[in-house]
């Protein structure tokens, strides 16, 4: 049984309500509830925080034991050297995920401090971005 932790950063608790034209109408809880049936052999854990330090603490807590981490750090992607250092410090592979295609939006979203230290990056497929990341980690 593989173990995968999904970590969402700031404002992603509002999925389904937040800018639905960009992020869609589905809540993350709704998406999460579909996973056990699709992946009966994967143990999922979910963590969301709007606080940078809490995200770092979570990476430290799970990053030496789980098979993979899917991280959507929201806007911290574009600002946080501390999160990049945390990803570098741990041993579990981290996949950077974005719901929207960050390269098709404002210029500041094209910069990611996390991409260079992640195993890979998936963006632009809505919540299906997470599913693609799960598939990537299962094949690791
Ligand atoms: C996001 C893209 C970020 O630029 C933005 O700040 C978010 C969400 C995405 O999933 O598309 O909060 O990470």
């Amino acid at each position: 049984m593989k173990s995968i932790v999904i970590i969402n950063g700031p404002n992603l608790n509002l999925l389904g309500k937040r800018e639905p034209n960009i992020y869609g109408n589905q809540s993350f809880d709704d998406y999460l509830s579909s996973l056990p049936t699709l992946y009966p052999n994967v143990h999922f854990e979910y963590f969301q925080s709007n606080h940078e330090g809490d995200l770092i603490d979570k990476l430290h807590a799970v990053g030496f034991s789980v098979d993979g981490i899917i991280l959507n750090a929201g806007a911290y992607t574009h600002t946080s050297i501390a999160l990049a250092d945390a990803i570098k410090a741990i041993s579990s592979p981290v996949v950077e995920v974005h719901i929207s295609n960050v390269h098709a939006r404002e210029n500041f979203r094209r910069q990611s401090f996390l991409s260079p230290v992640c195993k890979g990056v998936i963006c632009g497929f809505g919540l299906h971005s997470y599913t693609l990341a799960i598939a990537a980690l299962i094949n690791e």
Side-chain angles (χ1 to χ4, degrees):
M1 184 117 174
K2 290 225 173 194
S3 57
I4 293 178
V5 179
I6 301 175
I7 301 178
N8 274 344
N11 301 307
L12 292 164
N13 52 311
L14 295 181
L15 281 179
K17 295 181 191 153
R18 171 196 186 196
E19 299 180 272
N21 53 319
I22 297 175
Y23 299 112
N25 294 304
Q26 197 178 4
S27 73
F28 205 75
D29 280 348
D30 190 30
Y31 171 76
L32 271 181
S33 68
S34 70
L35 294 181
T37 317
L38 290 172
Y39 304 99
N41 295 324
V42 179
H43 177 264
F44 290 102
E45 185 188 336
Y46 177 58
F47 179 79
Q48 190 277 329
S49 176
N50 294 320
H51 305 279
E52 189 175 13
D54 288 347
L55 298 171
I56 292 167
D57 287 344
K58 190 64 187 178
L59 288 168
H60 292 178
V62 300
F64 294 93
S65 55
V66 298
D67 295 302
I69 298 170
I70 297 170
L71 174 63
N72 184 347
Y76 288 138
T77 305
H78 318 298
T79 62
S80 180
I81 294 166
L83 267 177
D85 282 348
I87 295 167
K88 261 198 266 184
I90 61 178
S91 52
S92 302
V94 178
V95 179
E96 176 184 341
V97 156
H98 301 284
I99 296 162
S100 64
N101 179 355
V102 286
H103 300 285
R105 299 179 63 192
E106 302 95 324
N107 268 340
F108 65 82
R109 293 187 205 276
R110 290 188 177 177
Q111 164 166 299
S112 168
F113 283 106
L114 312 186
S115 298
V117 294
C118 283
K119 180 86 186 166
V121 183
I122 298 167
C123 75
F125 296 97
L127 291 176
H128 193 59
S129 293
Y130 292 85
T131 310
L132 294 170
I134 293 166
L137 286 170
I138 285 173
N139 290 327
E140 260 296 291

